[in-house]
Each structure stands twice: as structure tokens, then as C-alpha cells.
Amino acid sequence: ANSALGINAGTFVNNFDRKMKGIGLANWTFIKGWGKPFVGDIQGLPQAMQAIDPGLIRYAGGLWANWVGFSRTRNQTTPGAWTANGQTYYYNYGPDELTNLDAFAKSINADVMIQVNVSNNDPGMWADLVRYVKERGFTNIKYYELSNELDLETFVNRETAITPAVYASRVAAYQQAMLAVDPNIKIVGGVPATLSDIMRAGYSCCGNQVSAYIMQGLPAARAAGRDWDTASY
């Protein structure tokens, strides 16, 4: 009861990691079919971002990530249904878009974390994205975030929802396929909307339990050969 907290602001502890100053860019903001420029074509934006000095760009569509695909022959188009390997997608990362994104990231000296679709089960598609990025020398695209807010997808009963057990089995396969192409990439897993399992349970329980997408995904990744580089939520 007699304890006191003191702060010595003059004592150096550690440098502030630039990646703590991340920015999120929603890829629907840059759909050329909707008359919007790619991020690197916005005049003055690199100079504005340099003033913030972010170390990381999260390039993602939020829940779009659970519908997005990639084909090296399909430039970015207006959103609409398309198929690859017998599965349906509604959005895509275009090679033209990725070229522009990497150049923008280089201009502000930031790494990119790009979202990967796990709801459509196609590890080979995303291994080819890693391969394409490597072939083209997009060295600032380094982090791959596996899915987005699957607990929310489950709560609202969307067709993109998958269980934590299914997620764990898929991310293990994705990780093996993607790391086989480039072992230097960074894998980011989990990605629930809430750190706890409360949303997946429909707010009926589990607010003190860490999300099963993290707790089941982590050991599956380890068993597949390598821990995630980080978990996100």
C-alpha cells in the first residue's frame, strides 16, 4: 500500500523499433478500375510518409484477404469473381500493383507485410507469390500474414470462416510451401480480431483464453518445421 511508481525519463533503455510505427494501407483504396491510383502514384505521399518514418506497411484488405488471390498473369482489376485451380476469388493482387507497392516501400525505407488468403486452400498459389516476389527483386515485401480475423468470420457465419483446427493444418502447409521457395521470408500467423476467444464463442465465454487461432496455429507451425516469426491480432 506504500509503494510508489517513479519514472526516470532521462534513462535510456532501448531504441524505439521503426516497425512499431507501422501504417496500414487497404488495397481497395488503390483499385485502378475504380479510378484510384496505385499508392506509389500519389504525388507527395512518399514525402509525407518519410516524415512519419514508418518501418512497416501492412498491405491488406482486412476481410478482403479471405477472398483475395494471386496470378502472375492477372494484373489488378475491378473486383469480381474469377477462378484459379477450381476455386473462386473476388479480388487479386496484380503484378502491376506489387511492382508499384515495392517501389513505394523502397522510397520510404519500409518493409511490407502482405496478407495471404487461407480460407481458399491453395498453398501453391501463395508459394508462387513468394517466388514471383523473389524473381522480381521486390526485396521490401518480406512479411506474409496468414488470413484475417477468422473469429469474426465465424461469428457472422460467413462462408470464408474456418475452424482453428482447419486453420492450423492449412497454415502448416502454407508455411512449408512458402518457405521452400524462400526461407528468408517472415511468417505472421494467428490474426484473429480479438486476442481472446470471446468473439469466436459469440461472446458467451472465453474472454480469458488466448485465441485458438494462435494457440493451435503456433504448435502446428512448429511441427511443420519453423515457428512463426510473429503472431498478430
Side-chain angles (χ1 to χ4, degrees):
N2 297 321
S3 297
L5 174 66
I7 299 174
N8 185 350
T11 301
F12 173 78
V13 178
N14 206 345
N15 287 316
F16 194 85
D17 194 313
R18 290 181 64 244
K19 289 188 176 62
M20 294 291 288
K21 295 187 292 181
I23 57 173
L25 299 179
N27 54 0
W28 67 76
T29 310
F30 311 107
I31 301 293
K32 283 201 168 181
W34 289 347
K36 300 180 180 183
F38 285 154
V39 61
D41 297 332
I42 300 174
Q43 188 172 3
L45 186 60
Q47 290 78 11
M49 289 297 100
Q50 286 164 3
I52 301 171
D53 191 33
L56 186 68
I57 298 169
R58 184 180 191 247
Y59 196 77
L63 296 178
W64 277 35
N66 302 323
W67 301 91
V68 72
F70 168 75
S71 169
R72 59 174 66 207
T73 63
R74 182 183 178 87
N75 277 335
Q76 191 215 73
T77 61
T78 304
W82 62 284
T83 59
N85 301 326
Q87 300 192 66
T88 301
Y89 300 86
Y90 289 89
Y91 315 107
N92 71 292
Y93 295 127
D96 53 345
E97 177 183 12
L98 297 176
T99 300
N100 190 280
L101 172 63
D102 183 71
F104 174 76
K106 284 181 168 64
S107 75
I108 63 171
N109 189 30
D111 292 338
V112 174
M113 180 172 71
I114 195 163
Q115 281 190 302
V116 170
N117 179 349
V118 179
S119 293
N120 289 81
N121 187 22
D122 191 348
M125 169 180 283
W126 300 99
D128 193 51
L129 172 62
V130 174
R131 186 176 297 108
Y132 183 79
V133 165
K134 186 176 181 180
E135 289 171 358
R136 293 297 302 272
F138 297 159
T139 52
N140 286 59
I141 300 178
K142 295 180 180 178
Y143 293 80
Y144 293 84
E145 190 180 40
L146 305 179
S147 81
N148 189 83
E149 298 186 351
L150 292 172
D151 53 342
L152 174 58
E153 301 280 49
T154 299
F155 177 61
V156 298
N157 197 31
R158 285 200 182 95
E159 61 185 279
T160 47
I162 56 176
T163 67
V166 171
Y167 177 74
S169 67
R170 289 186 183 180
V171 298
Y174 272 61
Q175 178 169 302
Q176 285 186 319
M178 295 165 70
L179 289 172
V181 175
D182 186 352
N184 296 313
I185 65 171
K186 306 295 186 183
I187 300 292
V188 182
V191 207
T194 55
L195 181 57
S196 78
D197 239 4
I198 193 169
M199 182 177 286
R200 186 172 69 91
Y203 295 92
S204 62
C205 72
C206 314
N208 61 348
Q209 297 178 14
V210 176
S211 172
Y213 291 100
I214 295 175
M215 296 305 292
Q216 294 187 32
L218 276 169
R222 180 171 298 164
R226 196 177 94 179
D227 282 336
W228 293 335
D229 293 281
T230 187
S232 69
Y233 72 93

